[in-house]
Amino acid sequence: MKDVSVGICGLGTVGGGTFNVLGRNASIIAGRAGCRIRVGRVASRTPRSDMDLGAIPFTTDVFDVVNDPDIDIVVELVGGEGVAKDLVMAAIAQGKHVVTANKALIAVHGNEIFAAAAAKGVMVAFEAGVAGGIPVIKAIREGMAANRIDWMAGIINGTGNYILTEMRAGREFAEVLREAQALGYAEADPTFDVEGIDAAHKLTILASTGFGVPLKFEQAYTEGISAITPFDIAHAEQLGYRIKHLGVARRREDGIELRVHPTLVPQSHLIAQVDGVLNAVLVDGDAVGQTMYYGPGAGAEATASAVIADIVDVARSVVSGSGQTVPFLGFVDSALEDLPVLSMDDVQSAYYLRIQAFDRPGVLAKVASILSEHGINIESIMQKESELTDGRIPVIILTHTVQERQMNCAIDDLEALTDIDGRVVRIRAENFQ
Ligand code: HSE
């Protein structure tokens, strides 16, 4: 059996997990790859005294891995867009294949990286960048190759989902975030998790793989969960909904929707049951219908599982010598369509609104009248005397589907009412049609 040599760059959570699983499951992995996967070199800025690397050469300079002629596959687990990008571009320039778990790198620089890799005839694989251990990229790229994919929606940040799940039990946002960091789920900068940037990176990659469009991260709409309150979580529950932080991508005739925001989902939908650090991605294909991929979205060995799946793919191609690779985004370049990313004004959604109203006669009538003037149909309305404090009472409204442009105008008019205190809280709702 031949050897394929990998160089692991980065020994953090995912790097450590990858090293450990490659060692523990070496014979199973070799049986699947048709070759032995040998770790030829390991590089990490910070050595890990808790790991036994045996006789494997260790270096603190990741570029030593790229410059090692013995290495066939560079496994980039450094993270970020600085050194990681230089490392990946240097590996490609040297004709080495790349496996990465770095969603920011692919979402932001993927078009450039793929062009360089295509010119060199090397593979760049990034399964672990999206939804951790769930093999959703392979499911879309290979398993759904027959389908026109119309939309995708997913819980694609484990940290955010963990926080929202724990907040349902009344825990504080900051305390749960600290716990998620300690468990190794959160990004180096956790605002990436809670403000939806990490999810937008992953959604960008999903949309490109599903729809065959170039990566357009900078045009994704991103709204985080840091403003979500236990009050809204509890009231959404009373209306039969759960608040999830969703990434939604939809392909329309006029362009694609690319958006990450807190979303009310029906409690009866399977995705509402996805709790904790778990992720789930719904993918709707015209032939297969609605499918859902579910599993751990973060964590050392869960993410290592996806990294190693990519190593196996690349190793198979290396040993076969066929040079045969799947297109990076699942579509050959000439089939990619440069569709525009649509403005949020053009998105349609139902809405949860929370209005802090002064407890005066006629307020509800004024609110209803403004919504009606903008063609917005109310599905339900809730106001409880027991929630009256300091003369103000929250009014919770669930609307039917409406264009966001209309909703924005209605909210402007609502906020101009003297019967309303402060801003209107608005959360979109999704029914997955
Ligand atoms: N911080 C990410 C998350 C890690 O919580 O989902 C996996 O990408």
Side-chain angles (χ1 to χ4, degrees):
M1 200 178 247
K2 282 188 187 169
D3 271 14
V4 168
S5 174
V6 299
I8 298 179
C9 301
L11 268 190
T13 305
V14 182
T18 300
F19 182 82
N20 289 337
V21 177
L22 277 174
R24 190 173 72 235
N25 291 346
S27 65
I28 296 169
I29 294 166
R32 291 200 167 111
C35 61
R36 273 186 302 269
I37 309 292
R38 182 170 52 80
V39 179
R41 191 174 283 270
V42 172
S44 172
R45 254 181 314 186
T46 12
R48 280 188 59 167
S49 52
D50 59 322
M51 288 183 64
D52 179 10
L53 299 181
I56 299 168
F58 175 83
T59 166
T60 52
D61 182 355
V62 288
F63 290 92
D64 287 346
V65 172
V66 170
N67 296 326
D68 182 342
D70 175 49
I71 300 296
D72 301 301
I73 306 171
V74 173
V75 183
E76 185 281 302
L77 303 172
V78 172
E81 298 170 43
V83 173
K85 185 182 176 204
D86 295 342
L87 177 72
V88 163
M89 294 305 274
I92 291 169
Q94 298 231 17
K96 295 184 193 294
H97 304 285
V98 173
V99 170
T100 178
N102 191 333
K103 51 261 162 165
L105 180 69
I106 296 299
V108 179
H109 304 286
N111 297 323
E112 179 189 348
I113 289 170
F114 297 153
K120 277 288 188 177
V122 296
M123 296 173 75
V124 177
F126 48 86
E127 177 71 67
V130 181
I134 308 172
V136 66
I137 295 296
K138 286 181 178 52
I140 293 171
R141 203 178 51 197
E142 274 89 62
M144 294 188 73
N147 290 262
R148 186 197 67 229
I149 293 175
D150 294 322
W151 60 264
M152 291 173 265
I155 297 170
I156 44 180
N157 182 269
T159 304
N161 201 43
Y162 187 80
I163 293 171
L164 288 177
T165 303
E166 293 294 317
M167 281 177 75
R168 246 168 40 228
R171 294 184 64 196
E172 286 300 321
F173 179 93
E175 176 201 337
V176 187
L177 173 58
R178 275 197 301 276
E179 190 174 282
Q181 286 177 286
L183 288 165
Y185 302 151
E187 296 302 300
D189 176 356
T191 59
F192 273 48
D193 297 296
V194 297
E195 297 307 336
I197 301 158
D198 175 75
H201 286 144
K202 294 165 181 169
L203 184 71
T204 299
I205 299 171
L206 280 173
S208 291
T209 314
F211 305 145
V213 294
L215 296 150
K216 297 190 175 194
F217 166 73
E218 66 290 347
Q219 292 175 48
Y221 172 78
T222 306
E223 190 181 310
I225 56 166
S226 52
I228 297 291
T229 62
F231 184 92
D232 292 318
I233 292 176
H235 284 72
E237 293 279 331
Q238 287 170 28
L239 289 165
Y241 291 85
R242 189 147 290 165
I243 299 180
K244 291 290 183 190
H245 200 194
L246 286 195
V248 181
R250 192 178 292 275
R251 187 191 166 117
R252 301 179 359 188
E253 288 293 311
D254 49 349
I256 61 164
E257 295 176 14
L258 203 55
R259 50 193 169 100
V260 174
H261 47 74
T263 312
L264 267 70
V265 301
Q267 280 166 6
S268 56
H269 197 285
L270 213 47
I271 206 161
Q273 315 309 321
V274 177
D275 280 339
V277 73
L278 291 165
N279 281 195
V281 184
L282 287 162
V283 185
D284 187 78
D286 68 332
V288 68
Q290 214 174 97
T291 61
M292 184 165 118
Y293 307 90
Y294 167 79
E301 293 205 355
T303 311
S305 166
V307 169
I308 296 168
D310 274 346
I311 293 175
V312 167
D313 266 359
V314 177
R316 283 175 178 149
S317 161
V318 170
V319 285
S320 76
S322 64
Q324 203 178 4
T325 62
V326 289
F328 304 105
L329 293 171
F331 288 77
V332 293
D333 280 356
S334 58
L336 289 177
E337 260 184 279
D338 199 4
L339 291 171
V341 175
L342 297 165
S343 144
M344 283 303 285
D345 273 353
D346 295 321
V347 164
Q348 294 209 336
S349 175
Y351 290 86
Y352 163 103
L353 304 177
R354 173 160 56 84
I355 299 164
Q356 193 70 351
F358 289 105
D359 191 28
R360 296 178 191 143
V363 178
L364 281 187
K366 288 184 196 167
V367 168
S369 148
I370 287 178
L371 292 177
S372 144
E373 278 161 26
H374 290 279
I376 299 169
N377 203 354
I378 295 174
E379 185 182 305
S380 55
I381 185 158
M382 187 161 68
Q383 182 196 288
K384 292 185 194 155
E385 200 58 26
S386 58
E387 289 169 351
L388 177 67
T389 36
D390 297 333
R392 296 165 180 83
I393 190 159
V395 178
I396 310 294
I397 296 172
L398 198 63
T399 75
H400 284 278
T401 301
V402 59
Q403 189 139 14
E404 183 133 332
R405 183 178 285 110
Q406 277 167 276
M407 180 53 79
N408 289 338
C409 294
I411 288 175
D412 285 347
D413 288 355
L414 287 170
E415 288 176 346
L417 284 177
T418 52
D419 306 271
I420 299 295
D421 189 25
R423 307 296 305 268
V424 173
V425 171
R426 169 259 304 274
I427 308 175
R428 299 172 188 87
E430 187 68 49
N431 60 5
F432 306 111
Q433 298 299 317

